[in-house]
Amino acid sequence: MRYVFLLCAPGDGAELAPGTPAGVRLRPADCATTVRTRGGEVLVSDGPFTEGPEYVAGFDLVEAADLDEALDLAARHPVAAAGAVEVRPVLEHGE
């Protein structure tokens, strides 16, 4: 089964270290733009969708036999020591 690891960095302005393994690294949250549509109107706002103590700084796509294995991999990810790794199963086509 495939899982996405959302790599969350502390919100204190720290970024993932350049050598941190990540499938895709993202620019800091202050570079985000959020788009919503409500009642046919497009609403664009600067900044991330949510404000919080951490922000998504990158993501990895991993293969694991089950959630337990995915959680074990996430616990050993370097980002888990300073930030957080959110683990989400991928919704595969046809599910």
Side-chain angles (χ1 to χ4, degrees):
M1 181 167 207
R2 295 187 309 163
Y3 293 86
V4 170
F5 289 178
L6 299 174
L7 308 176
C8 302
D12 60 5
E15 295 184 45
L16 296 180
T20 302
V24 176
R25 290 185 58 216
L26 303 174
R27 292 187 183 273
D30 62 357
C31 296
T33 303
T34 300
V35 178
R36 296 175 178 84
T37 56
R38 302 291 186 271
E41 183 180 353
V42 177
L43 308 170
V44 178
S45 58
D46 291 333
F49 174 68
T50 59
E51 297 287 331
E54 298 174 327
Y55 69 94
V56 177
F59 63 91
D60 289 338
L61 182 62
V62 301
E63 286 279 343
D66 55 27
L67 180 58
D68 288 336
E69 182 181 356
L71 295 175
D72 182 59
L73 292 170
R76 292 185 281 135
H77 197 290
V79 170
V85 178
E86 181 177 325
V87 178
R88 289 198 199 175
V90 172
L91 182 62
E92 302 291 353
H93 296 288
E95 285 189 290

